[in-house]
Amino acid sequence: ITNYLGIFSDLTGRKQTEQRLAHLAYYDDLTSLPNRLLFYEKVNHALYHAQQNVGMVAVIFFDLDGFKYINDTWGHLVGDLLLKKVAKRLQECPLCKSDAMARLGGDDFTMVLENLKNLNLSHQFAQNILEVMQPPFYLNGNETYVTASIGISIYPKDGKDVDTLLKHADAAMYRAKA
């Protein structure tokens, strides 16, 4: 061999950018919870398994009561801080572990429970969420109490696809809020 030519490139920056874009595509940038796209994929996966095993799946939809008031009174930065703290509290609660949790946008959070053996488990899960929300949140030195409203839909009784289940869980949440 008389000549040899080699070209080397450091792809670290490119790989980091690709990972960041993948994260932004599937995760909420504010809370780092899965976003709507990833949640839909996970629920579709759960529904497929439920169809194969003749099982039940619970879709839980909840939002924070009075969240608009917090944004309007203290500003969006404090509202964002509250959303981060809610997400963190839910992720750290051992009784609130679900098969998938997501923030769909605004103050809307969703969860899915796969392989549900009876409906009481979904009701107890919702109660656990309400209990974890009871302690005050500390936002910029202010002690703030926040409540949540929760709606639940069950596959296959309330729907057979993600959109229908979310629609029914959202409607149930608004009935609970009323």
Side-chain angles (χ1 to χ4, degrees), residues 145-157:
Y145 290 89
V146 176
T147 58
S149 295
I150 300 174
I152 302 171
S153 63
I154 304 292
Y155 167 87
K157 183 181 77 127

Side-chain angles (χ1 to χ4, degrees), residues 85-129:
K85 288 182 178 243
V86 167
K88 185 173 191 243
R89 194 176 282 186
L90 290 170
Q91 289 172 312
E92 292 175 350
C93 171
L95 299 175
C96 301
K97 296 291 183 211
S98 67
D99 297 299
M101 180 188 316
R103 176 175 170 242
L104 296 188
D107 63 332
D108 296 333
F109 293 86
T110 55
M111 299 174 175
V112 64
L113 299 175
E114 295 183 54
N115 304 319
L116 203 60
K117 302 299 180 213
N118 66 58
L119 297 179
N120 290 335
L121 293 174
S122 64
H123 297 140
Q124 182 58 51
F125 186 84
Q127 189 61 41
N128 294 341
I129 293 171

Side-chain angles (χ1 to χ4, degrees), residues 54-71:
V54 191
M56 290 189 296
V57 174
V59 173
I60 296 160
F61 195 105
F62 78 97
D63 76 1
L64 306 176
D65 299 328
F67 182 71
K68 183 180 180 331
Y69 175 79
I70 289 171
N71 268 343

Side-chain angles (χ1 to χ4, degrees), residues 11-83:
L11 299 178
T12 305
R14 181 177 174 188
K15 289 292 183 188
Q16 289 173 340
T17 301
E18 288 174 0
Q19 289 174 341
R20 177 76 177 137
L21 288 174
H23 182 79
L24 288 173
Y26 288 105
Y27 291 89
D28 175 56
D29 199 35
L30 183 66
T31 62
S32 293
L33 290 174
N35 64 13
R36 181 182 301 268
L37 182 62
L38 185 54
F39 183 75
Y40 268 63
E41 286 181 18
K42 290 184 178 201
V43 175
N44 278 322
H45 182 72
L47 294 178
Y48 174 78
H49 284 291
Q51 289 168 354
Q52 301 303 313
N53 301 318
V54 191
M56 290 189 296
V57 174
V59 173
I60 296 160
F61 195 105
F62 78 97
D63 76 1
L64 306 176
D65 299 328
F67 182 71
K68 183 180 180 331
Y69 175 79
I70 289 171
N71 268 343
D72 291 347
T73 304
W74 291 342
H76 290 279
L77 290 177
V78 174
D80 288 350
L81 178 62
L82 175 61
L83 292 173

